[in-house]
Amino acid sequence: MTALDLSSPVAVVGTGTMGQGIAQVALVAGHPVRLYDAVPDRAREAAAAIGARLDRLVEKGRLSAADRDAARARLRPADDLAELADCALVVEAVLERLDVKQELFRSLEEVVSPDCLLATNTSSLSVTAIGGALSHPGRFVGLHFFNPAPLLPLVEVVSGFATDVTSATRAYETARAWGKTPVACADTPGFIVNRIARPFYAEAFAVYEAQAADPATIDAVLRESGGFRMGAFELTDLIGQDVNESVTHSVWQSFFQDVRFTPSLAQRRLVESGRLGRKTGRGWYDHRDGAERPEPHTAEKQQPPAYVVAEGDLGPACELLAMIREAGIEVREEDEDNGTRLVLPGGGQLALADGQTSVEFRDVVYFDLALDYRRATRIALSACQDTGARTVAEATGLFQALGKDVSLIGDVPGMIVARTVARIIDLAYDAVAKGVATEEDVDTAMRLGVNYPLGPFEWSRRLGRTWACSVLDDLHQRDPSGRYAPSLALYRHSFATEKREGAS
């Protein structure tokens, strides 16, 4: 099954920001495009807005004047659904209400031809439920674009329970012909991106709710150590707290209030207060004119230790040993079967975040996971109130000697980056095991849909196949609510690896 022929008209119903963006994508790809909106004159206004954006593309040299003129000639507002009768594809981008969408598609079925492909751009509703209102749900599919649709490459092609393979394939190939990167997924709450991305927000909010760090510090650690483009607090301020919380709540409810997707009470209070982010001037941050952006916590300068004793190879942080030597600090190595820590001159220990807490041990400072310890510009350290001041100072000075800013946070298991990445990896394995998508499509979706520096499976391979399960096991022991319990899929993956390695 191939993509739609460029001579085939495409219709977009709903002319808000997303509807206009989808229409522009189809138009620039070469299709005749019909625009329809139930509000009178809205389609004409949208056509004018799209024309203005085409003008800007010409000004920027991204579109020729001739192609712009040809695209404008192919764009036509429609006053009635009946004008969409000759369309080969109709994409809906209307209000996120099941009854509204079902009524629209019932009406469309009476207008379009039997072989017309019908698609919804829903981000939070069940594709199966919307298609359930149709007489012929086999031709119904989800085409979830990301905003802004003309710029972001990812499209989730969602097959409902009754979607025909031929319909899903045609939608997939059409999205690819439009210059997008499609990924195929089953109809599950949140699809791929909004399902697997929940821990990125949830764990940042949990660290905040535990009073372990402030939003500016958590965001800085996620960016400068984790390699994420934005932190969770600044990103949700950009998205809109109400929008982000609504998606989280929808996924949580759709999974029958699964504790792994529990919404944040702190975010709920923010929404209730009307602080929705940039669009209202205040969210986690103050975005009003003249407001100062809070700075992340950064430790004062400390003297580096003269030497460290390495017990083991530090696992995912093994690159630190070479970096410490390059900084002129002696590394004394001791063979330890299970050693993954540094012993400091004062006797204190420095260990990679593993889901345990400093208070459980004598004089231990934890350091957080980094995407790339050489390129990271900030490292988070955590300690409890009983950790020795000399140990904290030596640990701080060590990382400062490596050229890193150091943020001291509270004694929370898994710290910030480690717990976030472990949970993302877990949800990815769980999704693939349940047939939501392939590993390759999950990695593609998370890199392109939310700009993660690595896909979950790429991260898993880099960190070691047992790393995420081990971190989550430790977290689960300290929070037995089920939120951190490794999925059966991750457990099987980790156990099989250990078994093979033991046999060898």
Side-chain angles (χ1 to χ4, degrees), residues 209-387:
E209 289 173 337
Q211 300 186 53
D214 60 275
T217 300
I218 297 170
D219 279 352
V221 172
L222 285 169
R223 288 192 316 270
E224 300 175 41
S225 183
F228 293 96
R229 186 166 295 185
M230 297 181 74
F233 296 89
E234 57 190 344
L235 181 55
T236 52
D237 265 3
L238 178 64
I239 294 169
Q241 298 302 329
D242 52 339
V243 174
N244 181 261
E245 199 230 12
S246 176
V247 173
T248 299
H249 195 271
S250 174
V251 172
W252 175 62
Q253 290 283 24
S254 297
F255 276 115
F256 308 106
Q257 299 186 359
D258 186 329
V259 68
R260 295 176 301 165
F261 301 99
T262 301
S264 161
L265 180 60
Q267 188 180 38
R268 176 94 288 262
R269 292 291 179 257
L270 202 66
V271 172
E272 289 174 339
S273 72
R275 297 185 177 187
L276 307 183
R278 290 184 178 274
K279 61 187 177 183
T280 60
R282 298 188 73 181
W284 296 110
Y285 298 105
D286 190 341
H287 301 281
R288 294 173 297 181
D289 291 343
E292 291 187 12
R293 179 69 177 260
E295 294 294 326
H297 175 274
T298 302
E300 294 182 1
K301 188 69 175 177
Q302 301 290 339
Q303 288 296 317
Y307 68 90
V308 296
V309 179
E311 295 183 349
D313 64 3
L314 297 187
C318 61
E319 182 69 10
L320 284 175
L321 296 181
M323 294 169 60
I324 293 170
R325 290 188 179 97
E326 291 164 13
I329 299 172
E330 180 186 358
V331 177
R332 304 173 184 174
E333 296 191 54
E334 293 185 1
D335 291 332
E336 291 285 339
D337 290 340
N338 297 309
T340 54
R341 60 181 62 86
L342 296 174
V343 180
L344 300 164
Q349 298 182 30
L350 185 60
L352 175 62
D354 58 5
Q356 301 182 85
T357 56
S358 292
V359 74
E360 301 170 54
F361 304 98
R362 178 184 173 277
D363 216 15
V364 170
V365 171
Y366 278 103
F367 65 94
D368 208 351
L369 180 69
L371 173 68
D372 183 330
Y373 282 99
R374 285 195 177 274
R375 298 177 61 184
T377 57
R378 182 177 299 272
I379 294 292
L381 302 180
S382 70
C384 68
Q385 59 185 8
D386 296 328
T387 304

Side-chain angles (χ1 to χ4, degrees), residues 195 258-262 423 426-427 430 434 482-483 485 487:
R195 173 179 178 152
D258 186 329
V259 68
R260 295 176 301 165
F261 301 99
T262 301
R423 288 208 59 217
D426 182 56
L427 291 189
D430 183 55
K434 292 176 178 174
R483 177 186 179 110
S487 66

Side-chain angles (χ1 to χ4, degrees), residues 24 67 82 146 342 479 488:
Q24 181 179 328
D67 287 342
F146 288 75
L342 296 174
D479 178 358
L488 182 58

Side-chain angles (χ1 to χ4, degrees), residues 13 90-96 101 104-105 119-122 130:
V13 179
V90 180
V91 184
E92 161 273 317
V94 301
L95 188 66
E96 283 286 273
K101 293 180 187 289
L104 169 63
F105 282 110
T120 175
N121 183 60
T122 186
I130 299 171

